[in-house]
Amino acid sequence: MSVTVPQLSDRAREIVLEARELLEAEGPEALTMRRLGERLGIRAPSLYKHVADKEALETAVIATGFEDVAERFEAAVAANRRRPLAAFAAEYRAFALAHPHLYRLMNDRPLRRDLLPPGVEARAAAPLIAAAGSQERARAVWAFAHGMTILELNGRFPPDADLDAAWAAGLRALERETAVAPAAD
């Protein structure tokens, strides 16, 4: 993972990366300014010299997630030009299962786009848009992938459900749609 977190000072970047580690290791309940300060060896009020508030901190953590998935999606889609949607979906699922707390932070509430570094969300979406052929189809693929992923993370499928088969069936349907439908203008 190569995380740059643009627009942050070195100290703020260190704080954001430590916040991501805390989130990933202990979950969202642990991601408090007090707990983060303890991990960094500073008092919680000192964090506000580097990040405006907890929302800004969480949005910066989300930006690291977008940077991470952008790299992963770009590589996956480039490596499988024959089935780019399947490559995207496999990487999407793998990321979410490996980073469930970050995944939820990125996707479970409204996104403060005004606090994100410019272009970070667009870069993460670009491989999917290219693979899907249009922004509308990309949104449909993303909705499918997110729905399958969040249901899996939340343990909502029956224990005997073959999730790999469900993913494959959904992707086949989406790939057929992408192959035959003209791009919307």
Side-chain angles (χ1 to χ4, degrees):
M1 169 181 66
S2 126
V3 178
T4 57
V5 193
Q7 300 182 323
L8 295 177
S9 69
D10 289 344
R11 183 64 170 152
R13 187 173 302 108
E14 178 186 351
I15 290 167
V16 169
L17 294 178
E18 187 67 30
R20 179 172 168 168
E21 286 182 23
L22 175 60
L23 171 71
E24 300 230 43
E26 300 181 30
E29 314 77 40
L31 187 55
T32 66
M33 298 305 253
R34 177 172 296 179
R35 182 76 177 94
L36 182 57
E38 288 170 3
R39 282 179 64 120
L40 290 163
I42 61 176
R43 293 182 35 196
S46 296
L47 293 170
Y48 296 105
K49 295 176 186 172
H50 305 283
V51 292
D53 54 26
K54 187 175 179 194
E55 183 176 37
L57 174 69
E58 289 177 345
T59 303
V61 170
I62 289 168
T64 72
F66 278 134
E67 290 172 349
D68 194 5
V69 296
E71 288 178 12
R72 294 171 73 141
F73 296 162
E74 289 163 356
V77 169
N80 192 345
R81 299 222 183 265
R82 201 172 128 271
R83 293 196 63 215
L85 291 181
F88 163 82
E91 199 57 45
Y92 187 93
R93 184 181 183 197
F95 175 83
L97 295 177
H99 307 280
H101 299 303
L102 177 59
Y103 178 82
R104 285 186 173 104
L105 183 67
M106 293 171 71
N107 290 289
D108 278 359
R109 59 182 173 189
L111 181 60
R112 287 293 309 268
R113 289 178 171 89
D114 59 313
L115 298 179
L116 285 173
V120 72
E121 184 184 20
R123 180 179 172 210
L128 174 57
I129 294 169
S134 75
Q135 189 171 48
E136 292 74 22
R137 279 192 228 117
R139 287 180 177 148
V141 173
W142 177 64
F144 165 76
H146 174 67
M148 288 292 295
T149 298
I150 203 68
L151 290 168
E152 183 173 2
L153 287 175
N154 290 342
R156 293 298 307 267
F157 288 106
D160 62 342
D162 184 345
L163 299 185
D164 292 337
W167 274 92
L171 286 167
R172 279 192 305 274
L174 289 164
E175 287 170 332
R176 278 193 304 273
E177 170 63 24
T178 301
V180 299
D185 293 318

